[in-house]
Amino acid sequence: MTPTPSPEPKESPRSPRGTGMRLIVPLQGVVQGRGGLILGSLIPCALFYFLQFYLKRHRSPPSNPPPRSTSAANLSELPRSSSRANLLARGSTGRAHLSARASSIAKPNDSPYYIGLDRVREDPYDEIGNPDGVMQLGLSENRLSLDLIEEWLSNNLTDSVLGVRGEAMGLSGIATYQPMDGLMAFKVVMADFMTEVMGGRVSFDPSRLILTSGATPAAEILTFCLADQGNAFLVPAPYYPGFDRDIRWRTGVELIPVHCRSCDNFTLSITALEQTFNQARKRGQKVRGILISNPSNPVGNLLNRDMLYDLLDFARERNIHIISDEIFAGSTYGNEEFVSMAEIVDAEDADKDRVHIIYGLSKDFSIPGFRVGAIYSSNENVLAASRKLTRFSSVSTPTQLILSSMLSDKKFTQEYIKTNKKRIRTMFHLFVAGLKELGLECTKSSGGLYCWVDMSRLISPYNEKGELDLWDKLLNTAKINVTPGSACHCIEPGWFRFCFTTLSEREIPVVIERIHKVVESCKPPV
Amino acid sequence: MAIEQDEEVCVGLSKVAVSETHGEDSPYFAGWRAYDQNPYHELSNPSGVIQMGLAENQVSFDLIERYLEKHSQTMNTTGFRENALFQDYHGLKSFRQIVVSNILHEIKSTNINILQAMASFMEQIRGGRAKFDPDRIVITAGATAANELLTFILADPGDALLVPTPYYPGFDRDLRWRTGVKIVPVHCDSSNNFEITPQALESAYEEAKSNNVKISGLLITNPSNPLGATIQRSVLENILDFVTRKNIHLISDEIYSGSSFSPDEFVSVAEILDSRNHKESQRVHIVYSLSKDLGLPGFRVGTIYSYNDAVVTTARRMSSFTLISSQTQQLLSLMLSDGDFTENYVRVNRDRLKKRYGMIVEGLRNAGIECLSGGNAGLFCWMDLKGLLGDSPTKEGELSLWKLMLEEVKVNISPGYSCHCSEPGWFRVCFANMSEETLQVAIRRIHDFMVRRRN
């Protein structure tokens, strides 16, 4: 069956083999609801892979198990046109046509993904109210230090909403049109906070900061500025599943995974980067940049200075950009110190134009609901273009005022960062110890709100289907929601991301016990 | 406008980044810059430029201020402190859970929730003549984002939206820049008061077709910007018939719906759909925002209301790029669900805008300048200066006149050219973003200018 030309206008030139360029995230999470942002992208990816793999199995016997990356390539051969015809024929969207971009997102909610998502929402675990509910470990959200935020807010938010602690701006100050990329006063405070969080060795300049309503639009805006439709970014894999949507969806820019392996503790190898770049070039695909996460998600590695310098050299030699997503910079718990890409370019004047940093308050500061993200760049043109694009994703002024006040309370922020790190570390150790008792190992990680667990010996067969079977068991039998590696484009099956910062210490034994049951049931019969 | 980067030393940017589709080099924005450099101030800079190019509503700030001050205790404590209001909300839900929900953005199923609040506010503005289902509302960070989002959803790159001229200059950027979608203008002119005729619609549609451009939808602004007038019911009926015939979408940007001077003169497309029992409603989508009616652009609150389930679902998912903080949502939910406040606000706001409009139209008339007849809504009037352009008014003539107004009269008004008006000589003049005194100063300056001109 010849694949019909896809109606999606952003398809890259067909790549028969090699890196999984054709990954498409057709099912989007419901944005509202409990942490829908992350949740909503992981599970649909996972289940979509499960689905299409399932379909693949029923089409023809593969000659040898295809390398992971081509499972996505096979996706292009699914009869997508017929599925779209069904959508329209069903009349579910009325007769007026939706764009290709939208049609893939609007698919009816009858896939296992939605069932899983609904399960978590309908049946959320509550220690008292619903002890048999589904426990959330699939969302990298930090609840460990919310009490500190709550306390500050209730102590300091006594004044009118028009001003905090006597710094009343009056309604015209907060209600009227303000610069779309953020109030300067707030930028100053954010820049200071970033300086503090990232170790104090490099000073962030507020005039190079652009504020957005969350890191999600920050990533998209940078993508719109740095790459054209059909271009690509290299991204070390496994990577944050949300990138598939945030980077690719509306921009038409592709992501080319650079696979990292367990034998390297999933650290990026420059050799692999070079190979992937060259393969892309051979295919005629224009690579415009490298997208790194540091600390990395889902693995939790920190990129050390040498690696950052190597990346910069690599980018310089090929005249491409580096986007460094440092949203977990303040959530480190290991012994390594975090080094920001900003520190590396601080000394290298020539390369300032090619490095752009993404940050936000959702992870380090536990306030995803406030919607504060940032783009930091020294490239005037990028700043100018991004600034104009923030009109589609600005931060609400009253929010900026409250946070200006909170973040300029240095005593509070220092205390918060210190305490938060300590708590993450404690939870990490408790959790990892619990997993160890079950014979489950994680990679050595030092940052992020999660650990990367090797469950490969429990899956059967040793491939994506086996992994998704286990994921399904964990969700529906053990009732814990975790992220399977395939959703993160991990080339080795059997790895799972477990977020532990959504739990309390008391809940760890509960989780471990639930995992234990599944581990037992996976043991091969003697 | 591709930059060939391989040969260059510096690292290249995308076409979107370097494109001029953002339109910020147009006169519309150039005037703003002139104002920024030399802003009028009653005391400290009485000869500065008066900003009449920004459609912002400051006439009813006092009402909002008073409300916020009166209720700040409730607002600040709501969600951040234990509050009697919430004690039996969700049964055992503790204070911590409320705060946590707020911080973590779990605002979907709150009792006093933004969707219901927004729906009831929209109903109130339409005098209860249309009903809005909260589940069909998607909140975005401003109407700018709402319009862009709908465009992403309804049109593919290379497709086009029909937009009647003259239109809000920001559409060039909001609808086209990142989406890759085109705008095909539907020309309207003063011969019939710039009404959107079926002929004009057909003609624009056919022309697009002959150029192989696929039309995905029609976007109207009702009340119109820059005309400052509501669209008549019969015209709306024709529009609905047109989009049905062509099987395309209709986006009705009703951002000024609460700023019509008389509640009876504004007819929303929602009313017509309700009266047609929602036949063919799946192609209709309404955009709204609190930036104009409530004068709260800084809060960044926009709304998409769609009668199409797939569009609602998709918009909700796509709104991840443009969410508003839960804290802002909470604040607005409380305010918008306060029926007494909103009813009073809408009424007083309307009256004040009407008074301002009367003031400026009369002032301009005394200076020998007429505005569009039938102006009955919005934060601006559509001023006719064709008379100053001689027998054959041109776009260049209009732009020179605009420059003259900016540099000599020191008022920043928006030339019709920036609104894609096919008839040179018209200007949009905003009157709600300043005090009455400042407005009088502006009117006097224009009056003096006209007197000088005649001599």
Side-chain angles (χ1 to χ4, degrees):
Chain A
M1 182 195 311
T2 28
T4 26
S6 162
E8 263 227 8
K10 291 166 287 306
E11 292 297 314
S12 63
R14 303 211 169 249
S15 54
R17 283 264 176 267
T19 49
M21 269 316 306
R22 315 302 307 293
L23 297 165
I24 295 162
V25 178
L27 306 173
Q28 299 301 315
V30 176
V31 178
Q32 292 177 340
R34 294 164 53 102
L37 281 172
I38 310 281
L39 183 71
S41 51
L42 298 178
I43 298 183
C45 290
L47 282 157
F48 187 84
Y49 273 88
F50 173 78
L51 245 188
Q52 61 92 5
F53 204 96
Y54 205 79
L55 287 167
K56 205 171 68 123
R57 259 170 47 116
H58 290 265
R59 273 178 45 233
S60 58
S63 41
N64 25 340
R68 282 282 277 254
S69 50
T70 61
S71 62
N74 288 326
L75 172 60
S76 65
E77 291 154 53
L78 287 176
R80 288 179 67 231
S81 61
S82 67
S83 70
R84 284 195 69 219
N86 283 341
L87 180 67
L88 295 173
R90 240 197 309 267
S92 60
T93 62
R95 283 163 53 230
H97 168 75
L98 290 198
S99 70
R101 277 183 281 229
S103 297
S104 61
I105 310 315
K107 289 206 174 113
N109 294 354
D110 57 359
S111 71
Y113 152 62
Y114 284 104
I115 296 170
L117 185 59
D118 285 342
R119 293 287 320 285
V120 176
R121 223 181 312 126
E122 283 161 16
D123 189 17
Y125 170 83
D126 185 85
E127 196 184 341
I128 305 163
N130 188 15
D132 292 323
V134 183
M135 299 181 86
Q136 178 68 287
L137 279 89
L139 180 64
S140 70
E141 201 176 67
N142 182 358
R143 297 186 174 221
L144 304 179
S145 307
L146 280 177
D147 58 320
L148 301 176
I149 308 269
E150 285 164 15
E151 196 188 322
W152 190 95
L153 286 172
S154 49
N155 287 340
N156 293 278
L157 216 62
T158 49
D159 299 6
S160 155
V161 288
L162 299 178
V164 184
R165 271 179 170 175
E167 292 151 35
M169 267 179 92
L171 187 62
S172 62
I174 60 168
T176 52
Y177 281 107
Q178 301 294 345
M180 291 289 180
D181 60 321
L183 299 169
M184 187 37 104
F186 185 43
K187 285 190 191 181
V188 168
V189 162
M190 266 299 277
D192 272 346
F193 183 70
M194 286 170 72
T195 302
E196 195 184 327
V197 156
M198 302 204 186
R201 288 177 306 272
V202 64
S203 197
F204 285 85
D205 175 355
S207 66
R208 297 188 188 162
L209 203 54
I210 303 250
L211 300 176
T212 58
S213 53
T216 297
E220 199 201 31
I221 286 174
L222 269 179
T223 306
F224 268 115
C225 289
L226 304 178
D228 293 315
Q229 190 170 311
N231 293 162
F233 289 153
L234 298 178
V235 53
Y239 61 82
Y240 162 54
F243 280 158
D244 283 329
R245 172 198 62 200
D246 301 347
I247 306 291
R248 301 171 59 235
W249 186 7
R250 304 193 297 184
T251 62
V253 172
E254 297 286 1
L255 287 174
I256 306 179
V258 179
H259 294 289
C260 307
R261 295 165 193 282
S262 56
C263 52
D264 295 328
N265 205 43
F266 291 98
T267 33
L268 178 63
S269 104
I270 296 289
T271 319
L273 197 63
E274 271 166 10
Q275 279 172 353
T276 315
F277 182 89
N278 294 336
Q279 281 165 1
R281 170 134 26 123
K282 270 201 215 102
R283 285 196 299 270
Q285 213 167 9
K286 190 158 192 169
V287 172
R288 299 298 287 262
I290 310 169
L291 170 63
I292 58 172
S293 300
N294 179 25
S296 69
N297 180 3
V299 179
N301 284 335
L302 293 185
L303 276 65
N304 61 28
R305 269 207 181 77
D306 286 340
M307 171 59 71
L308 294 176
Y309 274 113
D310 286 343
L311 279 168
L312 193 56
D313 289 339
F314 182 90
R316 185 191 312 117
E317 279 156 30
R318 289 155 187 79
N319 196 19
I320 59 179
H321 295 275
I322 295 181
I323 302 177
S324 181
D325 184 349
E326 304 186 348
I327 200 177
F328 292 103
S331 304
T332 52
Y333 46 80
N335 296 322
E336 292 172 62
E337 81 180 348
F338 169 77
V339 180
S340 164
M341 207 58 214
E343 207 182 310
I344 306 295
V345 284
D346 204 31
E348 317 266 327
D349 243 21
D351 288 315
K352 275 188 146 80
D353 268 3
R354 67 177 78 255
V355 170
H356 323 281
I357 294 170
I358 295 173
Y359 190 62
L361 297 179
S362 304
K363 311 293 179 184
D364 290 345
F365 213 56
S366 316
I367 48 171
F370 280 52
R371 309 311 307 147
V372 178
I375 293 173
Y376 187 82
S377 175
S378 301
N379 184 322
E380 283 306 325
N381 294 325
V382 170
L383 288 175
S386 304
R387 198 170 283 131
K388 295 182 182 113
L389 285 171
T390 55
R391 66 182 323 96
F392 300 110
S393 317
S394 341
V395 188
S396 191
T397 312
T399 305
Q400 294 187 54
L401 288 179
I402 290 182
L403 287 176
S404 289
S405 201
M406 189 158 30
L407 294 182
S408 41
D409 185 344
K410 293 279 198 228
K411 198 158 145 287
F412 169 69
T413 56
Q414 276 161 14
E415 192 56 46
Y416 175 88
I417 293 173
K418 203 168 53 125
T419 310
N420 185 42
K421 278 189 178 160
K422 217 171 357 142
R423 292 180 182 182
I424 299 178
R425 190 180 311 133
T426 306
M427 286 300 282
F428 171 73
H429 286 303
L430 277 173
F431 193 71
V432 167
L435 290 176
K436 232 192 186 89
E437 275 169 33
L438 301 177
L440 294 173
E441 295 288 335
C442 325
T443 53
K444 250 170 48 68
S445 55
S446 357
L449 308 175
Y450 36 76
C451 50
W452 187 234
V453 184
D454 184 1
M455 302 181 91
S456 52
R457 64 178 176 80
L458 299 175
I459 66 174
S460 167
Y462 179 71
N463 59 21
E464 199 178 311
K465 165 146 199 320
E467 177 186 287
L468 289 173
D469 280 347
L470 177 57
W471 175 82
D472 187 72
K473 235 187 251 174
L474 286 165
L475 177 64
N476 290 310
T477 312
K479 312 215 44 203
I480 59 173
N481 181 33
V482 294
T483 312
S486 49
C488 310
H489 306 277
C490 185
I491 199 163
E492 295 176 26
W495 290 83
F496 287 77
R497 187 189 77 166
F498 284 65
C499 297
F500 51 80
T501 53
T502 49
L503 307 170
S504 68
E505 282 188 33
R506 265 201 316 279
E507 286 163 354
I508 293 189
V510 179
V511 174
I512 299 296
E513 180 51 40
R514 292 188 184 194
I515 303 175
H516 178 59
K517 291 210 178 77
V518 171
V519 169
E520 288 301 303
S521 74
C522 285
K523 292 214 166 99
V526 183
Chain B
M1 292 193 69
I3 283 185
E4 201 30 81
Q5 65 173 51
D6 287 333
E7 285 76 11
E8 287 191 334
V9 175
C10 63
V11 60
L13 297 193
S14 67
K15 295 187 190 115
V16 165
V18 302
S19 120
E20 285 168 1
T21 317
H22 56 73
E24 288 189 18
D25 302 323
S26 85
Y28 181 70
F29 297 103
W32 289 19
R33 281 194 289 275
Y35 164 77
D36 283 337
Q37 280 153 17
N38 183 18
Y40 170 83
H41 187 277
E42 199 177 356
L43 300 167
S44 59
N45 190 16
S47 60
V49 175
I50 297 182
Q51 172 65 291
M52 305 188 91
L54 178 59
E56 200 175 60
N57 183 1
Q58 296 186 14
V59 306
S60 308
F61 265 172
D62 57 320
L63 299 176
I64 308 247
E65 244 163 359
R66 216 176 302 147
Y67 179 86
L68 288 176
E69 269 156 17
K70 191 162 104 185
H71 292 83
S72 66
Q73 198 59 19
T74 317
M75 286 199 174
N76 286 326
T77 56
T78 300
F80 299 128
R81 284 226 181 118
E82 210 157 37
N83 186 313
L85 256 165
F86 286 90
Q87 258 159 18
D88 27 84
Y89 150 63
H90 266 207
L92 300 168
K93 195 145 188 158
S94 63
F95 146 66
R96 184 177 193 275
Q97 280 176 300
I98 295 172
V99 178
V100 166
S101 312
N102 204 317
I103 294 174
L104 295 177
H105 215 252
E106 295 165 354
I107 36 75
K108 190 177 182 223
S109 51
T110 51
N111 276 349
I112 297 180
N113 97 22
I114 185 76
L115 303 181
Q116 280 171 318
M118 186 67 78
S120 69
F121 185 62
M122 286 170 74
E123 281 173 3
Q124 178 145 61
I125 285 178
R126 289 157 184 75
R129 293 186 299 272
K131 287 236 127 329
F132 290 97
D133 174 1
D135 287 333
R136 293 194 169 283
I137 290 185
V138 179
I139 307 281
T140 61
T144 298
N147 280 319
E148 196 203 31
L149 214 79
L150 274 175
T151 308
F152 268 120
I153 293 173
L154 304 177
D156 289 307
D159 292 349
L161 290 177
L162 292 171
V163 184
T165 67
Y167 61 78
Y168 162 54
F171 281 157
D172 287 328
R173 170 198 56 209
D174 300 346
L175 306 178
R176 301 185 318 163
W177 191 11
R178 298 194 292 187
T179 60
V181 171
K182 305 189 172 86
I183 292 181
V184 170
V186 178
H187 293 289
C188 306
D189 58 66
S190 59
S191 61
N192 63 349
N193 240 19
F194 293 96
E195 192 181 279
I196 306 166
T197 62
Q199 294 84 346
L201 288 169
E202 283 288 345
S203 150
Y205 186 90
E206 289 307 313
E207 185 176 331
K209 201 159 116 184
S210 66
N211 290 332
N212 277 321
V213 173
K214 174 165 166 286
I215 299 286
S216 300
L218 166 66
L219 186 147
I220 60 174
T221 308
N222 177 27
S224 159
N225 176 7
L227 299 178
T230 56
I231 299 184
Q232 317 253 21
R233 175 180 281 265
S234 55
V235 177
L236 283 175
E237 305 256 12
N238 286 339
I239 286 173
L240 270 171
D241 293 338
F242 171 79
V243 298
T244 305
R245 257 196 332 271
K246 304 294 186 201
N247 191 21
I248 59 178
H249 292 275
L250 174 65
I251 301 175
S252 180
D253 185 340
E254 303 190 348
I255 196 179
Y256 293 101
S257 45
S259 305
S260 67
F261 307 150
S262 148
D264 306 318
E265 287 180 19
F266 168 65
V267 178
S268 165
V269 71
E271 289 173 49
I272 303 190
L273 288 175
D274 275 9
S275 71
R276 290 183 180 190
N277 269 327
H278 290 202
K279 207 161 83 93
E280 293 294 337
S281 65
Q282 283 174 326
R283 62 184 73 259
V284 179
H285 324 280
I286 297 175
V287 169
Y288 186 58
S289 158
L290 301 180
S291 301
K292 309 294 179 183
D293 292 344
L294 277 186
L296 298 174
F299 281 47
R300 311 310 305 139
V301 179
T303 303
I304 294 174
Y305 186 90
S306 176
Y307 294 89
N308 183 316
D309 292 338
V311 173
V312 174
T313 306
T314 311
R316 208 161 263 142
R317 291 168 183 171
M318 221 188 255
S319 66
S320 58
F321 296 107
T322 184
L323 295 174
I324 67 174
S325 73
S326 43
Q327 183 223 0
T328 301
Q329 292 192 40
Q330 187 111 30
L331 200 156
L332 291 170
S333 303
L334 287 173
M335 191 158 73
L336 297 180
S337 347
D338 186 337
D340 287 334
F341 165 74
T342 55
E343 195 266 320
N344 182 58
Y345 178 91
V346 171
R347 191 171 32 85
V348 173
N349 184 48
R350 280 199 165 121
D351 288 341
R352 290 179 180 179
L353 287 174
K354 184 172 184 173
K355 180 167 169 230
R356 285 282 180 108
Y357 175 79
M359 208 186 282
I360 192 175
V361 164
E362 188 186 323
L364 289 174
R365 188 168 286 142
N366 290 341
I369 300 174
E370 284 300 320
C371 296
L372 184 76
S373 77
N376 63 354
L379 313 175
F380 34 73
C381 59
W382 190 233
M383 182 171 75
D384 182 357
L385 289 183
K386 284 204 304 286
L388 296 182
L389 294 184
D391 286 326
S392 37
T394 59
K395 163 187 127 202
E396 289 75 21
E398 180 186 287
L399 287 177
S400 314
L401 185 53
W402 166 74
K403 260 190 124 194
L404 200 64
M405 298 295 283
L406 186 61
E407 285 161 10
E408 194 183 300
V409 188
K410 299 253 181 26
V411 290
N412 176 36
I413 56 181
S414 310
Y417 168 69
S418 62
C419 305
H420 300 274
C421 187
S422 45
E423 229 177 86
W426 292 88
F427 290 79
R428 187 190 78 168
V429 185
C430 299
F431 54 71
N433 59 315
M434 60 192 78
S435 67
E436 275 190 24
E437 292 76 31
T438 308
L439 184 59
Q440 294 294 11
V441 171
I443 293 173
R444 205 174 321 125
R445 285 187 188 178
I446 298 176
H447 180 268
D448 294 343
F449 165 75
M450 291 298 286
V451 166
R452 282 197 306 273
R453 251 324 249 235
R454 277 198 285 275
N455 302 343

